[in-house]
Amino acid sequence: MSEKDNLQDADGNDILKKEAITQEERVTEDLNAPNEESTAAEATEIAETSASVDDANSSEETTPDTPETEGVVDTPISSGPESEIEKSISDEAPVKKKDTYVEEIEESNAEDAEDDSNVERHNLEDKDYHSMSMEQLADEFESLLKNKKVQTIKSPVEEIKTEFNSKFSEILEEKKEDFLSEGGNEIDFFYSSPLKKRFNSIYNDYRTNLNAYYKTLETNLKSNLEKRLRIIEDIKGLLNVEENINTTYKHFKDLQEEWRTAGPIPRDKYNNAWNTYHHHVEIFYDFLHLNRDLRDMDFKHNLDQKLKIIDRAEELAKDDNSNRAFRELQVLHKMWKEDLGPVDKEHREAIWERFSNATKTIHDKRQAYYADVDKAHEANLEKKQAIIAKIEEVAKDDVSSHQAWQNKIKVIEGLRTEFFNAGKVPIKMNEATWAKFKGAVRTFNKKKNTFYKSLKKDQYINLQKKLDLIKIAEDNKDNDDFETVTPLMKKIQNDWKHIGHVPRKDSDKIWKRFKAACNHYFDKVNAERNAADKEQLDAFESKTKLLDELKDLKLSGVAEQDLETIKQKTEEWNALGQVPQNKRFIEGKFNKSVDALFNNLKLDKSEVEMIKFENKLESLSQPDDTRLLDNEHHFIRKKIDEVRGELNQLENNLQFFSNIDESNPLVKDVLKNIENHKENLAVWEEKFKKLKELY
């Protein structure tokens, strides 16, 4: 927004349009001979305007990055006897000391005078860079460089740079402590990161663009200063020109307009140039002796414009955004001082008092706003001090386990995040607070690193233990004694899990060696097992076919011949080998088929039972697995115990029938039952005998 865009008249028309009316149009009225009264009044107002240039601005320091511009000629006001006009100035308009709030505005305007784009820096959003992460700071820097003028972002860039370097410095210290704790030499330490390289690249681009800007600015400032000095010389020259007064006045107004649009000049030359300009403007008005009508016309125009400025200032005094109001107020003061001339004497005090009161209101609201900001910063300081105290408390608590330290590390990370999100603190306390925070974190990190350094000894012991396991694994990885080596390999794998941490630099390397040796061995086991599985699947297919044949088998009816046939089929079945574990149901089907064939034989029941048992033992006998025989052993022992128990019970019951004749049906039944149990017991005992022969 330009200086004049803020002002509109009652009809909504821009003041800029009214100011576009040329000075020539204002002086097309008949110009009468000058009179002393108007001359004195005009000179008085010019002197008052000139006095508004704040001498304090001359003490502004030149920005280090801004090139110096040589020379300005300051034509002093004569120190000779007072003229009538000078006497009138001292009598009617004594120079008053400016109020502090006015001086503050004029100082800011003087700073902006060197570069009119500096106004844009006042409109930058105030952000809490302290709470941003390093990546967010880099993104914000890149956005400012891309979207804002390079000369307007110096302040936020310096704040971003400070915050980024502080955070990176903290990380750098931690990395260095870790490096040293692992036995590294300090002289060999180096750490960088892609984010740091990115930030440095953005900053280099910023410096390059800023240097290019100042190089261009230096040329423009010199050119503008030369232009303004030439305008002053042209105004001085009007006193010696012999031409119509109207023409001379028009030339004077053209030079004034050219002065207003001449552009920025070096900051340290600003006050000197303006004072020199106003001095020669006074001399020209003294020379011109404007008539009363033209004077009144100029006074009225200036009064109308200044009243509009006052109206706008009073509107701004009601604005709750004190910073925005103050920035626009600076523009209004600049217009009052630089763009407008004097008003009639009777209005001067009143309009200045209105403008000054509105200025004071805006200034006081702004001061109140900053007082509230200071209070918020004080509250943030208390928060951060409390967080630092918590970090110090956590650092005091001694723990002796890895898990406990990991928990403490998480707590510290949470407190660090709280610290960065707590907001800004008073500037005077910022450095001390940051130093205390870093000291607390550094104390914690030193204790943490001391603990983990003490663990290094245990880690080297663990390393040797794992190297011993690696040797066992590598020595046995090609061993074909799977029955012996497989349990061993499983055991050392389990031992590896319980040994504990080893130095970080060795961890991956030794794990890869151990894993490779174990994988090599178990790959061989799996290959062997897959081959065995294939044989068992082939056996299952063959037994399925044999089982189908057995269903269709017809016996001859000759017991001895049929018994031989059944034995051959049984031997053939056993010769086919084992089937997979999940296919062993086929053994039960075969036994049922054989039992059905035996039932058709005309043989003694006990003999048949033993033949069937012998066939069963053939199927239960596995070269590498005795579990089936063990189960059968337990089963037969249990049956023998059961039959013996039942037999004893029957014999005890028989004693109750001592006086009863054996021909009694009940007694006969008991005796027969006892005989059957004895025969059954004899068969189970024979089976047990056969089973023991296999062990």
Side-chain angles (χ1 to χ4, degrees):
M1 181 179 289
S2 70
E3 296 172 357
K4 302 185 180 89
D5 287 344
N6 296 315
L7 301 177
Q8 293 183 334
D9 60 18
D11 296 327
N13 299 316
D14 292 336
I15 293 175
L16 181 60
K17 295 181 179 178
K18 292 190 175 183
E19 290 196 330
I21 302 175
T22 64
Q23 299 293 346
E24 182 178 5
E25 291 173 325
R26 296 186 193 138
V27 298
T28 53
E29 306 287 338
D30 292 335
L31 297 177
N32 298 321
N35 59 70
E36 291 297 321
E37 181 179 356
S38 64
T39 303
E42 185 72 12
T44 299
E45 185 68 12
I46 293 298
E48 182 178 303
T49 305
S50 177
S52 66
V53 179
D54 188 2
D55 291 338
N57 294 334
S58 63
S59 65
E60 283 284 336
E61 295 183 2
T62 303
T63 304
D65 294 329
T66 306
E68 294 287 348
T69 306
E70 294 292 330
V72 62
V73 178
D74 183 8
T75 306
I77 299 177
S78 172
S79 60
E82 284 189 326
S83 66
E84 289 298 321
I85 297 177
E86 290 169 329
K87 188 175 185 302
S88 175
I89 292 173
S90 63
D91 291 341
E92 297 183 25
V95 177
K96 297 181 180 179
K97 179 174 174 62
K98 296 183 181 67
D99 291 314
T100 303
Y101 51 87
V102 176
E103 290 181 345
E104 183 179 343
I105 292 174
E106 292 191 348
E107 287 175 5
S108 182
N109 280 338
E111 182 181 355
D112 292 340
E114 184 174 67
D115 181 5
D116 49 17
S117 68
N118 277 345
V119 176
E120 183 181 327
R121 66 183 163 83
H122 298 302
N123 297 322
L124 291 176
E125 182 181 356
D126 187 20
K127 296 187 177 181
D128 185 6
Y129 297 118
H130 186 63
S131 65
M132 293 185 181
S133 66
M134 292 173 62
E135 186 171 356
Q136 288 173 327
L137 289 170
D139 292 341
E140 182 66 20
F141 192 0
E142 193 170 44
S143 176
L144 285 173
L145 188 60
K146 181 179 179 181
N147 300 314
K148 302 294 181 181
K149 294 180 180 178
V150 68
Q151 68 271 25
T152 67
I153 60 174
K154 180 178 180 181
S155 179
V157 164
E158 288 303 314
E159 189 174 352
I160 288 172
K161 180 185 175 186
T162 299
E163 293 296 342
F164 185 92
N165 286 341
S166 295
K167 289 178 170 61
F168 182 76
S169 175
E170 184 184 4
I171 294 175
L172 195 65
E173 290 178 5
E174 291 181 3
K175 296 294 183 182
K176 185 176 181 179
E177 289 178 3
D178 290 343
F179 177 76
L180 297 178
S181 69
E182 292 180 359
N185 192 327
E186 184 171 0
I187 198 172
D188 297 325
F189 175 74
F190 174 79
Y191 175 77
S192 185
S193 69
L195 186 58
K196 175 63 174 173
K197 292 177 181 178
R198 178 192 170 204
F199 187 88
N200 289 346
S201 176
I202 299 172
Y203 190 78
N204 288 338
D205 291 342
Y206 164 73
R207 294 299 306 172
T208 300
N209 294 350
L210 190 63
N211 290 336
Y213 161 75
Y214 278 129
K215 186 174 182 180
T216 303
L217 179 64
E218 179 182 8
T219 302
N220 292 339
L221 291 176
K222 286 182 178 179
S223 175
N224 294 338
L225 179 60
E226 292 171 359
K227 185 186 299 183
R228 287 184 184 272
L229 294 177
R230 191 263 304 160
I231 292 171
I232 292 173
E233 292 299 319
D234 289 349
I235 291 176
K236 290 166 61 177
L238 291 177
L239 303 180
N240 301 319
V241 175
E242 296 182 0
E243 60 183 1
N244 182 278
I245 192 66
N246 289 354
T247 304
T248 302
Y249 183 75
K250 182 179 183 302
H251 288 167
F252 172 70
K253 289 299 181 181
D254 289 343
L255 289 172
Q256 280 191 310
E257 184 62 27
E258 187 178 357
W259 175 271
R260 293 189 185 98
T261 60
I265 61 176
R267 187 187 312 178
D268 60 330
K269 312 299 182 185
Y270 175 76
N271 285 326
N272 202 8
W274 268 95
N275 290 337
T276 303
Y277 169 73
H278 280 301
H279 168 67
H280 289 293
V281 167
E282 287 183 46
I283 293 176
F284 179 79
Y285 271 110
D286 188 20
F287 161 77
L288 191 58
H289 298 290
L290 293 175
N291 69 9
R292 184 181 299 275
D293 291 338
L294 184 57
R295 181 200 65 182
D296 291 345
M297 186 183 302
D298 280 349
F299 281 2
K300 183 179 184 305
H301 168 75
N302 293 335
L303 178 61
D304 289 342
Q305 301 306 306
K306 287 188 175 181
L307 287 174
K308 290 177 181 178
I309 289 177
I310 293 170
D311 289 341
R312 180 56 183 161
E314 290 173 342
E315 288 179 14
L316 291 174
K318 301 175 183 178
D319 193 340
D320 292 333
N321 190 326
S322 58
N323 284 332
R324 180 177 61 200
F326 184 80
R327 288 195 294 271
E328 190 171 337
L329 183 65
Q330 288 179 248
V331 177
L332 297 181
H333 272 265
K334 187 175 181 181
M335 293 173 64
W336 184 288
K337 172 183 176 180
E338 299 181 7
D339 294 351
L340 298 175
V343 300
D344 193 275
K345 181 179 178 181
E346 64 177 301
H347 300 297
R348 291 174 195 166
E349 191 70 27
I351 64 172
W352 175 250
E353 184 175 356
R354 280 183 63 191
F355 191 36
S356 178
N357 289 339
T359 298
K360 185 176 186 304
T361 300
I362 295 172
H363 177 270
D364 290 347
K365 290 177 70 174
R366 185 166 180 258
Q367 292 302 109
Y369 164 78
Y370 280 117
D372 291 339
V373 170
D374 289 341
K375 289 180 182 178
H377 289 176
E378 289 290 344
N380 294 340
L381 176 61
E382 292 181 5
K383 290 180 185 177
K384 290 194 171 184
Q385 288 174 338
I387 293 170
I388 292 171
K390 290 180 182 178
I391 294 175
E392 291 173 339
E393 192 63 29
V394 173
K396 288 180 183 177
D397 185 22
D398 291 325
V399 293
S400 57
S401 70
H402 168 71
Q403 186 58 49
W405 272 105
Q406 290 302 307
N407 292 336
K408 285 164 69 79
I409 290 170
K410 290 180 181 178
V411 172
I412 293 296
E413 285 300 317
L415 291 173
R416 289 180 75 257
T417 301
E418 284 185 42
F419 182 86
F420 289 126
N421 292 335
K424 294 183 178 180
V425 301
I427 294 177
K428 62 182 180 180
M429 297 298 298
N430 188 51
E431 186 174 347
T433 305
W434 176 247
K436 190 174 181 181
F437 168 74
K438 287 204 300 182
V441 174
R442 188 180 297 113
T443 299
F444 171 80
N445 287 335
K446 284 182 178 179
K447 294 187 69 174
K448 176 196 68 176
N449 290 334
T450 299
F451 168 78
Y452 281 106
K453 190 173 184 180
S454 68
L455 290 184
K456 294 297 181 183
K457 295 179 181 178
D458 294 336
Q459 290 181 356
Y460 281 109
I461 294 173
N462 294 338
L463 175 62
Q464 186 57 52
K465 290 179 180 179
K466 289 192 172 183
L467 289 173
D468 292 340
L469 295 183
I470 290 173
K471 187 174 187 310
I472 295 173
E474 290 179 340
D475 288 346
N476 289 277
K477 67 179 182 178
D478 292 316
N479 197 322
D480 294 332
D481 186 1
F482 300 137
E483 186 175 354
T484 302
V485 176
T486 298
L488 174 64
M489 297 297 276
K490 289 181 178 180
K491 180 180 182 302
I492 65 174
Q493 284 181 324
N494 188 62
D495 291 345
W496 181 282
K497 295 177 183 178
H498 294 90
I499 286 178
H501 293 285
V502 300
R504 188 185 308 171
K505 64 179 184 295
D506 300 306
S507 180
D508 287 344
K509 181 172 62 177
I510 64 172
W511 167 245
K512 288 177 181 178
R513 282 183 61 190
F514 183 69
K515 183 179 178 182
C518 291
N519 287 346
H520 179 84
Y521 172 77
F522 283 106
D523 285 345
K524 286 187 63 178
V525 171
N526 290 332
E528 188 75 18
R529 184 174 297 160
N530 290 337
D533 289 344
K534 186 176 185 309
E535 292 179 1
Q536 291 179 354
L537 287 172
D538 291 341
F540 175 75
E541 292 180 4
S542 299
K543 285 190 173 184
T544 301
K545 294 178 181 179
L546 181 59
L547 186 61
D548 292 337
E549 294 176 5
L550 203 61
K551 290 178 182 179
D552 299 330
L553 180 65
K554 295 185 182 300
L555 298 177
S556 64
V558 179
E560 292 76 7
Q561 183 177 345
D562 291 338
L563 181 60
E564 186 63 27
T565 300
I566 294 173
K567 286 183 178 181
Q568 288 178 357
K569 293 296 182 183
T570 302
E571 291 174 358
E572 183 179 351
W573 178 273
N574 292 333
L576 292 175
Q578 297 182 21
V579 298
Q581 183 70 30
N582 61 342
K583 305 290 186 183
R584 289 191 176 178
F585 61 85
I586 199 171
E587 299 292 340
K589 291 184 177 182
F590 174 76
N591 290 333
K592 288 182 180 181
S593 298
V594 170
D595 288 345
L597 292 175
F598 274 118
N599 290 336
N600 293 327
L601 294 180
K602 296 178 181 180
L603 293 174
D604 180 72
K605 182 179 180 181
S606 298
E607 185 180 359
V608 171
E609 188 65 27
M610 290 306 299
I611 293 173
K612 289 166 59 177
F613 181 69
E614 289 176 0
N615 291 335
K616 182 179 182 180
L617 289 181
E618 289 288 337
S619 64
L620 294 178
S621 299
Q622 305 292 338
D624 59 348
D625 191 356
T626 63
R627 288 177 299 170
L628 296 176
L629 288 176
D630 291 340
N631 291 338
E632 188 68 18
H633 180 274
H634 293 308
F635 175 73
I636 293 174
R637 286 294 301 268
K638 184 178 179 181
K639 292 300 292 183
I640 290 174
D641 292 340
E642 288 178 359
V643 173
R644 282 178 178 172
E646 292 173 359
L647 182 60
N648 290 335
Q649 183 65 41
L650 289 172
E651 288 177 344
N652 289 336
N653 292 340
L654 187 61
Q655 293 177 3
F656 293 104
F657 301 102
S658 57
N659 298 323
I660 301 175
D661 188 1
E662 291 184 4
S663 62
N664 186 293
L666 185 59
V667 174
K668 284 184 178 181
D669 187 56
V670 172
L671 292 173
K672 183 178 180 180
N673 204 0
I674 290 173
E675 189 63 28
N676 290 337
H677 274 74
K678 288 181 178 180
E679 292 177 0
N680 197 17
L681 178 61
V683 172
W684 284 114
E685 288 176 343
E686 183 65 22
K687 287 182 179 180
F688 188 71
K689 182 179 178 182
K690 288 285 185 182
L691 182 59
K692 288 180 67 177
E693 291 176 356
L694 291 176
Y695 278 93

